[in-house]
Amino acid sequence: MNKSNSSRPQVLTICSLLGQTCRGRCGDVLEKCSCRATCMTLMSCCADYNQSCFQVMPHSSSMLGGETHMSNKLCSFLCRFKGEILRDGFIDAEGHAYCISPLLYETGWIPFDVSTDGINFDRSAQYFSVHPSKADPTSKVILVNATQWQNYGTPNVGGRLKMTWNNSLIRAERINVELWAYRESQTGRGTNASPPPQAELHYLYSLGRNLTNSGAFSFSPKPRREYSDWELGNIRITAGSTTTWFLQVPPAGLWSGAHLLAWHLEEAFRENSAAWARSRCLQWDDLETNLPDFLSELIDCPCTLAQARADTGRFHTDSSCDIERGSVCTYHPGCVHCVRAIQASPEHGAGQQCCYDHSGDLVFTGDSVGGSTPDRAHDWGSPPYVQPPRVPGYSHWLHDVLSFYHCCLWSDRCHVYLKHRPSSGCQNYQPPRAGVVLGHSHYVTFDGLRYTFSGKGEYHLVSSPETELSVQVRTEQVKLKNGTRLSSVAMKQNGSDVIEVRLAAGAHLQVLKNQNVLLFTEQSWMELHGVFVFSSGPESVTVTFSSGAAVEVRMFGGNMAVTVLLPAEFNRHARGLLGSMNSDPSDDLTTQLGEVIPSANATSEEVFTFGAGWNISKNSSLFTYDSVHLLHLYSVPSSHDAAFVPAFSPPQSLDDPLVADVLVMCYGEGAQFCKHDALMTQNLTVGNATLRAYEEHRALMEALKPVVSCGWLPTPRNGRKNGTRYLEGSTLSFTCSQGYLMYESAERTCLGDGTWTGEQPYCITGRLYNEKHNK
């Protein structure tokens, strides 16, 4: 369902045709027909393909479940989620069949099977379970004035609480308003002596029953001492009922976002919220002290905001503090932008968070309560999910956000919180290296070599057997021209899903996962198997792998530009058209057989021979061949078209009226590529698009420049520190409060070798000062 149709209930639609052969065989190619998604355009599908391998519409919904899903033309059926969670189907008066999604405690693509006989689940699909914060906002219960809800009962915060919802999404005249709360049974790790921790989202009580479905409800909350241990939860609105059957099998309903349940805490909280919160903060302090250390396994933060936004393979924008959206950065005052590490830490599922001020500098908790704070539980959760502290959203709220309220927002014990959540430095951070192919087949390697290879076929852009990363590109001939451009890029690492991004009709990008088209009409961020895919629009896709490698695909004037970013672990482990990644551009033209063509004086013909040698083999191809055109041009013949001979340089006639305009338009480092494409196509717009793509690459390279950090310096006790920048060339000065004298260095400068000049200063009394100097 597109967002434009959000007034209708979210449904799963199952298309059905006669036939049997694809039942239980989805994704297979059979002897006489196919059950693979590509069969639709190749017209080779088995008769029952659309029935047995059905499409899910909408293909995403919140992991909280409880949403109504519909299927057509089934008399009776049983739904199964994840191969284990069963839900009865039922039929409405209009003959539509429905199923209700369950609470999953995880995100990602979820297997979904249907049985029509109650025994064989031989009709299958997948739907996408999303983080509650990423669910369609039009299908949520809106807590009006969220700050009031979160801080209810603290000084000067009270009154009636109000919520609203789209009443057309609950097809009932009467509704119930319920409170559900979340907890985790244990905070430690499971051992042989104790069971693993369990997550529980539990119904507590109703705020109202059999109310008119008006789309709005307000109430004056009362303290509930018996529920004060439940501090995190959601509001849920369901169709009215006089029975309690829904506590076991919930009907369709709408959820609010998770929030702190300050409004129902005991009377002691309202009488003195600071004292109550202080006590909870100290309890948390004792608990944290006995939990495993997670800080040592976190990756370092980027040193600058520019690096953080450019390193898309390892970091992604934190939506709660986003400079592009003007977020308030409530939890990080003084900062303008935060990023989170995409991957959770391997053992504990912890998350890294890095925040930056208006100068682009990393902010430390040692200088500000708004500094970067790591998380015991990654906000986005982490595989295998389900068990704490890996439950998306909720584990993070319970382990990291709740304690921030107790210690920092509701009491004066923020130093306790920051003791357990200190900022990570950036001294060990190494930015990734970037290579790009843009325009009409122009390449810039990881080591900075620039060349043009106009081969027609499918080639290894990056091949790294040691890390099992493969990035392949397909090129097509430019119509009526002797040049080529990118038409597709396919990639995978280790056992990840295969992702392909290709040029589609209308000059936009189409994304495929394992040969199935991915739609971004409902979600812009997808967590897949071993890979994340983010699309901010039809002309931009970023693919990131668990290793930190990333592939960015952008459109410029109808042409694809593909940027590959590799972290330092790939040094000397990269080969292909983007070179060796060893800081030596002279050997970037190394053939697949290991022969080095010296790049300093390589001819266009030699470069062409080098590029052609990196064509892929048929058994290593990651591409999808789902049309007669693709089969004819790429799948059946050799992956390099030896009969196609490009024009190695565009014609440059002094009589060409375009030359003068090209010389004016094409300037700077990208002038060579700009001129080539403008003159080859006789189109200034094409040349200008190539120039813009190259300039964006140069901006990326500038953002990723390594910087030296000398590390955070503390403020001397009884003194002040002037400055919070800890990078090469920065100087910090220190002064002492009245009645104290400075001992050691009043100024310290960060040197290029990562060390500070001078010694750590102290502010001491005159007597101690004299004693030290008289020694």
Side-chain angles (χ1 to χ4, degrees):
M1 180 181 71
N2 294 332
K3 293 184 178 180
S4 60
N5 297 324
S6 58
S7 61
R8 298 171 53 196
Q10 290 195 321
V11 299
L12 295 180
T13 301
I14 304 174
C15 303
S16 60
L17 293 173
L18 296 176
Q20 298 179 355
T21 54
C22 276
R23 293 193 175 186
R25 303 293 300 274
C26 294
D28 294 344
V29 177
L30 308 182
E31 183 178 355
K32 295 183 179 180
C33 59
S34 174
C35 300
R36 185 173 292 173
T38 54
C39 74
M40 296 295 289
T41 52
L42 293 175
M43 294 184 290
S44 60
C45 295
C46 297
D48 72 333
Y49 172 75
N50 282 334
Q51 178 188 24
S52 299
C53 309
F54 57 85
Q55 298 298 312
V56 174
M57 295 179 293
H59 61 261
S60 67
S61 62
S62 169
M63 74 174 196
L64 296 177
E67 298 193 39
T68 304
H69 301 278
M70 182 181 72
S71 57
N72 295 325
K73 298 182 181 179
L74 293 175
C75 297
S76 62
F77 66 102
L78 187 65
C79 297
R80 184 176 66 182
F81 297 83
K82 286 186 61 181
E84 57 186 18
I85 303 173
L86 300 180
R87 286 289 182 268
D88 288 324
F90 57 95
I91 314 296
D92 67 9
E94 298 175 351
H96 297 126
Y98 290 89
C99 194
I100 298 170
S101 58
L103 172 65
L104 291 169
Y105 297 113
E106 66 178 294
T107 57
W109 287 99
I110 305 296
F112 177 83
D113 307 309
V114 169
S115 172
T116 56
D117 60 10
I119 300 174
N120 300 300
F121 289 87
D122 50 13
R123 304 184 184 193
S124 60
Q126 289 185 330
Y127 92 100
F128 193 64
S129 173
V130 304
H131 192 293
S133 67
K134 295 182 173 68
D136 185 354
T138 63
S139 64
K140 289 183 179 180
V141 177
I142 304 300
L143 305 181
V144 179
N145 191 349
T147 301
Q148 179 190 17
W149 283 79
Q150 301 258 103
N151 296 281
Y152 198 97
T154 60
N156 303 315
V157 182
R160 293 182 68 83
L161 294 176
K162 182 179 180 180
M163 66 189 77
T164 61
W165 64 94
N166 183 345
N167 61 349
S168 67
L169 296 181
I170 298 182
R171 295 180 293 178
E173 294 181 358
R174 316 294 292 182
I175 53 95
N176 300 326
V177 180
E178 307 163 356
L179 175 63
W180 291 65
Y182 178 84
R183 68 181 175 187
E184 295 176 357
S185 60
Q186 298 178 17
T187 53
R189 292 176 294 178
T191 64
N192 292 333
S194 62
Q198 298 296 319
E200 179 186 10
L201 187 61
H202 181 75
Y203 168 82
L204 291 189
Y205 55 86
S206 292
L207 297 171
R209 299 186 61 76
N210 269 341
L211 305 174
T212 301
N213 184 14
S214 64
F217 175 71
S218 66
F219 68 104
S220 294
K222 298 179 180 179
R224 301 292 293 261
R225 179 179 176 83
E226 68 272 32
Y227 295 117
S228 277
D229 286 338
W230 298 86
E231 294 187 64
L232 175 65
N234 304 68
I235 298 295
R236 188 164 185 260
I237 297 178
T238 66
S241 175
T242 57
T243 66
T244 59
W245 71 274
F246 62 87
L247 298 184
Q248 287 74 42
V249 185
L254 305 180
W255 292 90
S256 74
H259 64 284
L260 301 186
L261 305 180
W263 49 271
H264 89 156
L265 297 179
E266 59 189 317
E267 190 67 46
F269 175 75
R270 299 191 181 188
E271 292 174 352
N272 191 338
S273 60
W276 188 95
R278 190 179 303 118
S279 175
R280 291 294 176 107
C281 177
L282 296 178
Q283 292 175 21
W284 175 78
D285 182 25
D286 291 338
L287 176 64
E288 276 289 312
T289 302
N290 295 313
L291 290 179
D293 170 59
F294 69 90
L295 298 173
S296 59
E297 64 174 0
L298 296 178
I299 63 174
D300 269 26
C301 286
C303 290
T304 67
L305 175 58
Q307 289 177 334
R309 299 182 70 186
D311 191 350
T312 54
R314 291 178 288 186
F315 296 92
H316 189 72
T317 297
D318 181 350
S319 59
S320 67
C321 186
D322 182 356
I323 193 172
E324 292 186 1
R325 298 186 179 182
S327 298
V328 180
C329 303
T330 301
Y331 303 114
H332 297 278
C335 296
V336 299
H337 193 77
C338 293
V339 296
R340 293 187 184 276
I342 295 174
Q343 301 293 332
S345 66
E347 182 177 357
H348 299 297
Q352 179 63 284
Q353 186 185 45
C354 313
C355 298
Y356 302 84
D357 61 19
H358 67 280
S359 299
D361 294 326
L362 183 64
V363 180
F364 290 82
T365 52
D367 298 324
S368 166
V369 295
S372 314
T373 51
D375 301 313
R376 179 170 291 281
H378 199 299
D379 182 26
W380 305 329
S382 58
Y385 302 105
V386 182
Q387 287 187 353
R390 297 178 179 269
V391 177
Y394 287 92
S395 289
H396 172 62
W397 269 93
L398 208 60
H399 290 278
D400 302 295
V401 181
L402 189 62
S403 50
F404 183 79
Y405 272 81
H406 290 162
C407 300
C408 296
L409 297 184
W410 292 346
S411 77
D412 56 358
R413 292 295 185 269
C414 203
H415 62 280
V416 175
Y417 179 84
L418 298 180
K419 175 180 68 174
H420 295 291
R421 300 292 186 268
S423 300
S424 298
C426 67
Q427 289 167 280
N428 296 319
Y429 173 76
Q430 293 181 297
R433 302 279 288 277
V436 67
V437 51
L438 52 84
H440 284 194
S441 301
H442 307 299
Y443 294 77
V444 182
T445 68
F446 296 114
D447 297 331
L449 177 68
R450 292 179 290 167
Y451 69 90
T452 297
F453 164 60
S454 296
K456 177 186 174 185
E458 296 170 340
Y459 308 93
H460 290 286
L461 189 62
V462 177
S463 176
S464 178
E466 296 86 350
T467 65
E468 298 185 56
L469 173 67
S470 177
V471 183
Q472 303 173 1
V473 290
R474 174 189 291 157
T475 62
E476 65 180 9
Q477 182 177 356
V478 180
K479 292 183 179 180
L480 305 178
K481 305 295 178 183
N482 290 330
T484 61
R485 65 174 184 174
L486 289 183
S487 61
S488 187
V489 55
M491 65 213 83
K492 70 173 295 187
Q493 186 174 23
N494 298 322
S496 75
D497 289 328
V498 175
I499 304 299
E500 182 176 355
V501 185
R502 64 187 184 184
L503 191 60
H508 70 273
L509 298 175
Q510 183 183 65
V511 183
L512 298 93
K513 173 184 78 79
N514 300 333
Q515 303 187 355
N516 290 274
V517 175
L518 282 180
L519 298 178
F520 289 88
T521 54
E522 298 169 15
Q523 298 297 321
S524 62
W525 173 265
M526 292 191 186
E527 303 143 88
L528 309 176
H529 180 64
V531 62
F532 293 81
V533 182
F534 173 71
S535 176
S536 59
E539 296 186 346
S540 175
V541 175
T542 299
V543 181
T544 68
F545 296 95
S546 57
S547 64
V551 179
E552 298 179 348
V553 187
R554 305 288 184 267
M555 292 295 296
F556 292 90
N559 290 327
M560 293 174 62
V562 174
T563 300
V564 181
L565 296 101
L566 299 182
E569 291 77 10
F570 284 82
N571 285 342
R572 302 183 184 278
H573 293 314
R575 289 176 284 280
L577 295 181
L578 288 184
S580 305
M581 193 170 158
N582 61 359
S583 301
D584 180 9
S586 67
D587 67 353
D588 277 351
L589 300 183
T590 300
T591 69
Q592 197 161 181
L593 298 177
E595 178 187 355
V596 178
I597 300 174
S599 59
N601 54 3
T603 65
S604 298
E605 289 76 9
E606 287 175 324
V607 170
F608 186 80
T609 300
F610 152 79
W614 278 107
N615 64 314
I616 65 174
S617 63
K618 293 305 176 185
N619 58 6
S620 68
S621 174
L622 302 178
F623 291 102
T624 300
Y625 306 96
D626 57 354
S627 70
V628 174
H629 170 76
L630 292 175
L631 286 172
H632 176 71
L633 287 183
Y634 297 102
S635 181
V636 177
S638 169
S639 57
H640 170 72
D641 186 353
F644 175 74
V645 180
F648 292 111
S649 60
Q652 297 188 43
S653 170
L654 295 178
D655 298 329
D656 188 344
L658 198 66
V659 170
D661 292 332
V662 167
L663 294 177
V664 172
M665 179 183 70
C666 300
Y667 59 89
E669 288 188 12
Q672 172 189 352
F673 295 158
C674 173
K675 293 175 183 177
H676 178 282
D677 289 0
L679 293 174
M680 183 70 74
T681 62
Q682 288 291 289
N683 191 323
L684 290 175
T685 301
V686 174
N688 185 56
T690 298
L691 182 62
R692 287 191 292 110
Y694 185 85
E695 288 174 341
E696 183 165 302
H697 176 70
R698 289 303 307 164
L700 174 68
M701 298 301 294
E702 185 67 26
L704 290 175
K705 276 187 176 179
V707 298
V708 175
S709 171
C710 293
W712 176 78
L713 288 180
T715 300
R717 187 178 180 183
N718 301 313
R720 292 178 298 278
K721 176 176 62 178
N722 299 310
T724 56
R725 185 177 175 86
Y726 306 101
L727 305 182
E728 179 183 1
S730 302
T731 297
L732 302 181
S733 61
F734 304 88
T735 57
C736 291
S737 303
Q738 187 173 0
Y740 293 87
L741 298 175
M742 176 69 65
Y743 182 72
E744 297 295 4
S745 305
E747 280 191 351
R748 304 189 70 184
T749 299
C750 179
L751 302 178
D753 62 0
T755 62
W756 289 101
T757 60
E759 301 293 336
Q760 175 62 34
Y762 299 92
C763 293
I764 57 179
T765 63
R767 181 177 62 81
L768 289 175
Y769 183 87
N770 292 331
E771 289 178 0
K772 288 182 177 291
H773 273 273
N774 290 333
K775 285 184 178 182

mmCIF file of all heavy atoms in Angstrom, residues 125-140:
data_model
loop_
_atom_site.group_PDB
_atom_site.id
_atom_site.type_symbol
_atom_site.label_atom_id
_atom_site.label_comp_id
_atom_site.label_asym_id
_atom_site.label_seq_id
_atom_site.Cartn_x
_atom_site.Cartn_y
_atom_site.Cartn_z
ATOM 1 N N ALA A 125 5.245 -16.008 0.904
ATOM 2 C CA ALA A 125 5.637 -14.633 0.575
ATOM 3 C C ALA A 125 6.517 -14.143 1.712
ATOM 4 O O ALA A 125 6.893 -14.908 2.614
ATOM 5 C CB ALA A 125 4.407 -13.739 0.412
ATOM 6 N N GLN A 126 6.856 -12.877 1.663
ATOM 7 C CA GLN A 126 7.568 -12.228 2.756
ATOM 8 C C GLN A 126 6.948 -10.860 2.970
ATOM 9 O O GLN A 126 6.429 -10.251 2.042
ATOM 10 C CB GLN A 126 9.057 -12.065 2.441
ATOM 11 C CG GLN A 126 9.845 -13.356 2.449
ATOM 12 C CD GLN A 126 11.328 -13.101 2.239
ATOM 13 O OE1 GLN A 126 11.725 -12.144 1.582
ATOM 14 N NE2 GLN A 126 12.157 -13.945 2.807
ATOM 15 N N TYR A 127 6.992 -10.414 4.216
ATOM 16 C CA TYR A 127 6.663 -9.009 4.439
ATOM 17 C C TYR A 127 7.697 -8.425 5.380
ATOM 18 O O TYR A 127 8.430 -9.143 6.067
ATOM 19 C CB TYR A 127 5.227 -8.851 4.941
ATOM 20 C CG TYR A 127 5.053 -8.848 6.438
ATOM 21 C CD1 TYR A 127 4.909 -7.646 7.130
ATOM 22 C CD2 TYR A 127 5.005 -10.032 7.157
ATOM 23 C CE1 TYR A 127 4.740 -7.644 8.503
ATOM 24 C CE2 TYR A 127 4.828 -10.029 8.527
ATOM 25 C CZ TYR A 127 4.701 -8.838 9.201
ATOM 26 O OH TYR A 127 4.548 -8.831 10.554
ATOM 27 N N PHE A 128 7.776 -7.113 5.394
ATOM 28 C CA PHE A 128 8.872 -6.429 6.063
ATOM 29 C C PHE A 128 8.410 -5.885 7.409
ATOM 30 O O PHE A 128 7.515 -5.048 7.483
ATOM 31 C CB PHE A 128 9.368 -5.288 5.166
ATOM 32 C CG PHE A 128 10.680 -4.704 5.603
ATOM 33 C CD1 PHE A 128 11.821 -5.474 5.603
ATOM 34 C CD2 PHE A 128 10.773 -3.380 6.008
ATOM 35 C CE1 PHE A 128 13.038 -4.945 5.989
ATOM 36 C CE2 PHE A 128 11.975 -2.841 6.395
ATOM 37 C CZ PHE A 128 13.114 -3.623 6.387
ATOM 38 N N SER A 129 9.020 -6.392 8.480
ATOM 39 C CA SER A 129 8.740 -5.927 9.835
ATOM 40 C C SER A 129 9.674 -4.766 10.141
ATOM 41 O O SER A 129 10.899 -4.892 10.034
ATOM 42 C CB SER A 129 8.966 -7.068 10.829
ATOM 43 O OG SER A 129 8.856 -6.616 12.168
ATOM 44 N N VAL A 130 9.113 -3.625 10.523
ATOM 45 C CA VAL A 130 9.935 -2.415 10.669
ATOM 46 C C VAL A 130 9.997 -1.963 12.119
ATOM 47 O O VAL A 130 9.132 -2.268 12.943
ATOM 48 C CB VAL A 130 9.403 -1.263 9.784
ATOM 49 C CG1 VAL A 130 9.333 -1.684 8.344
ATOM 50 C CG2 VAL A 130 8.044 -0.792 10.270
ATOM 51 N N HIS A 131 11.058 -1.246 12.427
ATOM 52 C CA HIS A 131 11.228 -0.591 13.723
ATOM 53 C C HIS A 131 10.000 0.287 13.979
ATOM 54 O O HIS A 131 9.547 1.001 13.087
ATOM 55 C CB HIS A 131 12.493 0.266 13.665
ATOM 56 C CG HIS A 131 12.968 0.782 14.986
ATOM 57 N ND1 HIS A 131 12.255 1.708 15.726
ATOM 58 C CD2 HIS A 131 14.095 0.522 15.704
ATOM 59 C CE1 HIS A 131 12.917 1.994 16.826
ATOM 60 N NE2 HIS A 131 14.035 1.274 16.840
ATOM 61 N N PRO A 132 9.415 0.238 15.191
ATOM 62 C CA PRO A 132 8.201 1.017 15.439
ATOM 63 C C PRO A 132 8.317 2.494 15.078
ATOM 64 O O PRO A 132 7.356 3.103 14.619
ATOM 65 C CB PRO A 132 7.972 0.827 16.943
ATOM 66 C CG PRO A 132 8.586 -0.505 17.243
ATOM 67 C CD PRO A 132 9.794 -0.588 16.349
ATOM 68 N N SER A 133 9.505 3.068 15.240
ATOM 69 C CA SER A 133 9.663 4.493 14.930
ATOM 70 C C SER A 133 9.631 4.755 13.436
ATOM 71 O O SER A 133 9.438 5.887 13.000
ATOM 72 C CB SER A 133 10.983 5.017 15.515
ATOM 73 O OG SER A 133 12.096 4.439 14.857
ATOM 74 N N LYS A 134 9.836 3.708 12.607
ATOM 75 C CA LYS A 134 9.851 3.867 11.153
ATOM 76 C C LYS A 134 8.527 3.457 10.511
ATOM 77 O O LYS A 134 8.396 3.476 9.290
ATOM 78 C CB LYS A 134 10.992 3.065 10.545
ATOM 79 C CG LYS A 134 12.389 3.555 10.942
ATOM 80 C CD LYS A 134 13.462 2.733 10.242
ATOM 81 C CE LYS A 134 14.851 3.291 10.485
ATOM 82 N NZ LYS A 134 15.291 3.144 11.879
ATOM 83 N N ALA A 135 7.563 3.054 11.325
ATOM 84 C CA ALA A 135 6.260 2.664 10.774
ATOM 85 C C ALA A 135 5.552 3.896 10.224
ATOM 86 O O ALA A 135 5.856 5.040 10.589
ATOM 87 C CB ALA A 135 5.420 1.993 11.853
ATOM 88 N N ASP A 136 4.598 3.654 9.349
ATOM 89 C CA ASP A 136 3.845 4.735 8.725
ATOM 90 C C ASP A 136 3.228 5.640 9.791
ATOM 91 O O ASP A 136 2.402 5.185 10.590
ATOM 92 C CB ASP A 136 2.749 4.132 7.853
ATOM 93 C CG ASP A 136 1.966 5.171 7.064
ATOM 94 O OD1 ASP A 136 2.188 6.381 7.275
ATOM 95 O OD2 ASP A 136 1.128 4.768 6.241
ATOM 96 N N PRO A 137 3.616 6.918 9.854
ATOM 97 C CA PRO A 137 3.102 7.800 10.920
ATOM 98 C C PRO A 137 1.602 8.007 10.852
ATOM 99 O O PRO A 137 0.975 8.329 11.869
ATOM 100 C CB PRO A 137 3.865 9.115 10.688
ATOM 101 C CG PRO A 137 4.321 9.068 9.270
ATOM 102 C CD PRO A 137 4.566 7.626 8.974
ATOM 103 N N THR A 138 1.001 7.830 9.674
ATOM 104 C CA THR A 138 -0.444 8.048 9.575
ATOM 105 C C THR A 138 -1.235 6.922 10.242
ATOM 106 O O THR A 138 -2.434 7.047 10.456
ATOM 107 C CB THR A 138 -0.879 8.161 8.102
ATOM 108 O OG1 THR A 138 -0.600 6.926 7.433
ATOM 109 C CG2 THR A 138 -0.135 9.294 7.415
ATOM 110 N N SER A 139 -0.562 5.802 10.559
ATOM 111 C CA SER A 139 -1.258 4.687 11.197
ATOM 112 C C SER A 139 -0.920 4.590 12.684
ATOM 113 O O SER A 139 -1.180 3.568 13.313
ATOM 114 C CB SER A 139 -0.904 3.372 10.500
ATOM 115 O OG SER A 139 0.479 3.085 10.649
ATOM 116 N N LYS A 140 -0.371 5.654 13.243
ATOM 117 C CA LYS A 140 0.008 5.650 14.649
ATOM 118 C C LYS A 140 -0.988 6.441 15.493
ATOM 119 O O LYS A 140 -1.671 7.346 15.001
ATOM 120 C CB LYS A 140 1.394 6.274 14.842
ATOM 121 C CG LYS A 140 2.552 5.438 14.338
ATOM 122 C CD LYS A 140 3.868 6.136 14.651
ATOM 123 C CE LYS A 140 5.064 5.327 14.190
ATOM 124 N NZ LYS A 140 6.343 6.015 14.503
#
